[in-house]
Amino acid sequence: MKPTLRSLAAALLAVAATQADAELLERPGGMVYDTQSNLTWLVDWNAGAGSAFDDGTHRTDGRMTWGAAEAWADALVWGDVDDWRLPESSACFGFNCRTSEIGALWYDVLGNAAGLPPADLGPFQHVQPAPYWTATPLDDAPGMAWYFNAQGGSQNVFPVSAQAYAVAVRVGDVTPVPEPSQAWLLLGGLATVVSLVRRRGRAAA
C-alpha cells in the first residue's frame, strides 16, 4: 500500500515530537548530547585513567588532583574537537544542587534521587561512586574547589591537592540534529509536491 499524505505527515510529526522531547542523544565516538543544557558529555566518566595527568596515589585509577584534572580536560581532543573542560559548579552545598552542570544532569535529566546510589546512569559508563571535580574554585579560597559526589548526588569542596575523578564536557552539539521546525518545512514541501501530483492527475483525466 502506498503511503498517504496523512501517514507521511504523522511520521514527520512523530520525528519532530521525539526531537523536541529528547534530552540525551548519543553521538558517535562515545559522546552524549544533553539538549536541556546544550552540553556534550563524554560517555566514559573515567576516560582520564592511566593518562599522563593521572597523578593520584594509583596512577591508573583515574583519580587526580584538581590542577591535573583541569589540565587533562583542557588538553583533551575527542571527537575531532578540543574545547573540553570540567563541568562548572555553583556555590551550593549538599544535595539537589541543580544549578551546577553536573547536578542538573544528575537530577533533572537522569532523575536520580538525593542521598541514594544512582538509579539511572543513562548511557554513561565507568561512573565511579565517588567525588568528581568541577571547574569551579571556592570563592575567596583558591586552595579549595567544588566537587560533585556520584555516590549520592551531594556537592561540597575539597582541597585542590585532594584526589577525585574527572569527566569532560563541552558546550554545544558535535553532531547537530535537525530542529523540529525543519520537519515542519519538510512537511510543507511534501504537501506541495502531493498537491501538484494530484492536479496533474486530474488534468490528465
Side-chain angles (χ1 to χ4, degrees):
M1 184 175 64
K2 293 183 179 180
T4 64
L5 177 60
R6 180 175 296 177
S7 64
L8 290 172
L12 285 171
L13 287 173
V15 170
T18 300
Q19 292 172 350
D21 294 340
E23 289 186 331
L24 290 179
L25 304 176
E26 294 191 47
R27 296 295 183 237
M31 295 173 286
V32 172
Y33 176 60
D34 178 2
T35 61
Q36 177 172 292
S37 61
N38 188 35
L39 294 173
T40 296
W41 297 80
L42 286 190
V43 168
D44 187 349
W45 277 40
N46 198 17
S51 70
F53 302 94
D54 190 345
D55 65 345
T57 303
H58 303 285
R59 297 302 181 93
T60 58
D61 65 357
R63 295 196 303 157
M64 313 176 202
T65 58
W66 183 69
E70 285 254 277
W72 166 75
D74 184 63
L76 185 66
V77 178
W78 196 289
D80 295 327
V81 292
D82 61 359
D83 55 349
W84 297 94
R85 58 172 173 78
L86 298 180
E88 294 177 353
S89 182
S90 59
C92 172
F93 283 99
F95 298 101
N96 289 309
C97 294
R98 301 169 188 265
T99 51
S100 70
E101 290 177 341
I102 195 169
L105 174 71
W106 192 260
Y107 290 112
D108 297 335
V109 179
L110 295 176
N112 291 308
L116 297 176
D120 187 2
L121 293 175
F124 298 110
Q125 301 172 4
H126 307 136
V127 179
Q128 306 300 307
Y132 275 80
W133 286 119
T134 76
T136 310
L138 180 64
D139 288 343
D140 302 321
M144 306 287 285
W146 291 94
Y147 72 81
F148 183 90
N149 195 333
Q151 171 64 27
S154 63
Q155 192 167 283
N156 211 320
V157 293
F158 260 166
V160 295
S161 59
Q163 300 173 21
Y165 292 93
V167 61
V169 66
R170 67 179 296 275
V171 175
D173 189 0
V174 292
T175 308
V177 296
E179 294 294 331
S181 58
Q182 293 178 309
W184 284 107
L185 289 173
L186 181 59
L187 180 58
L190 179 62
T192 301
V193 171
V194 172
S195 177
L196 289 173
V197 170
R198 286 177 176 174
R199 288 179 184 176
R200 290 179 180 176
R202 294 192 192 102

